[in-house]
Amino acid sequence: MSERKKLLQVIDLKLHFPIYGGLLRRQVGAVKAVDGVTFDIFEGETLGIVGESGCGKSTAGRAVLRLYETTAGSILIDGVDIATLSQEELRKKRPAMQMVFQDPQASLNPRMTVAGIIGEPLDEHTNWPRAKKLERIYELMDAVGLNRDFANRYPHAFSGGQRQRIGIARALALNPRFIVCDEPIAALDVSIQAQVVNLLEELQEQFGLTYMFISHDLSMVRHIADRVAVMYLGKIVELAPVSRLYDHPAHPYTEALLSAVPEPDPSLERRKDRIVLQGDVPSPANPPKGCNFCTRCPKVMDICRETEPVTVEVAPGHFAACHLIPQTAGQTGGAEVEHNQTRIQQGEVV
Ligand code: SF4
């Protein structure tokens, strides 16, 4: 993985929404929706982003495409920091980076035909003659499995799955290299979720796409992602290759999320220990002192309420931020860390 080219490098990205109050409408605080996240996405890979509602994953996806103005940090695409580009320079970069939205119903203009919707980015970014645009629209409809005969129909005539195919075709119109898929299957019937995920995988293979796949569905993320980042209250608390994360989670929040994923095998499901988190995610306008997760963590210690844990490399390519992980984790290796975690849980000081 380390020899592969990094398409995207996000460094200490922050997105704070100001809160105004008082008679003079002065800024009295900020909602720290994304609060210092750092990660890379390699060319051709899928990075899954998981976490509960309100953890900042969708905001991070939009911030990475600069659909929101960022508060601090860098977003390097091919080495160019798009966080600092002017609107005109950003417009030139737009074709390379696109988004597939959660709710195809809400993201498609009901007054435009399918051809109009899919061709909109071509109208915006090319001077192609009408015939060439129409040929491209047909090509895209073929690529996502939509019948060309439906090009003049309106979105309401389609099912949820077909509408999402229209949204995907629109995202592909300008030959992007990078697509943020923001909960692309959450609004769809379970029966067609797998079809849409399979289509995304086929298109990735066909066009060499790189995905940031945002979802709260950990089973689907396990299926599609190469690596996974777990977000909690605006921060990445753990990031690892997919099999490593699901088989050896290092952070108590990841453990809790995984414990809630149903097992297909009923006998395994019966034996599984669920970790039920108490309380709600705290407000990102007023995060707790120390570790963000300290108000709900089943393994909380005194230090967690005082000091924010630093991110350490638990094993090659596996990062987590938790005081249970010794600072020397990267040098000692994952097995050693797991052993140390057990010792800490048993009351020993490692
Ligand atoms: Fe839990 Fe403490 Fe680790 Fe935070 S640092 S996840 S509160 S054990």
Side-chain angles (χ1 to χ4, degrees), residues 11-68:
I11 304 162
D12 204 17
L13 181 66
K14 293 183 183 169
L15 203 150
H16 296 177
F17 295 106
I19 303 169
Y20 297 100
L23 276 178
L24 299 174
R25 307 297 298 160
R26 289 217 175 96
Q27 185 175 342
V28 292
V31 175
K32 296 175 179 169
V34 178
D35 197 21
V37 300
T38 296
F39 60 91
D40 301 324
I41 306 187
F42 295 92
E43 208 157 42
E45 84 161 342
T46 299
L47 179 73
I49 308 275
V50 300
E52 292 163 286
S53 297
C55 68
K57 53 191 192 305
S58 289
T59 312
R62 283 171 164 73
V64 159
L65 295 181
R66 228 185 104 185
L67 298 180
Y68 293 138

Side-chain angles (χ1 to χ4, degrees), residues 251-253 291-294 297-301 304 309 321-324:
H251 195 282
Y253 181 57
C291 172
N292 265 355
F293 190 47
C294 71
C297 179
K299 296 176 179 173
V300 64
M301 304 171 286
C304 309
C322 172
H323 288 301
L324 288 169

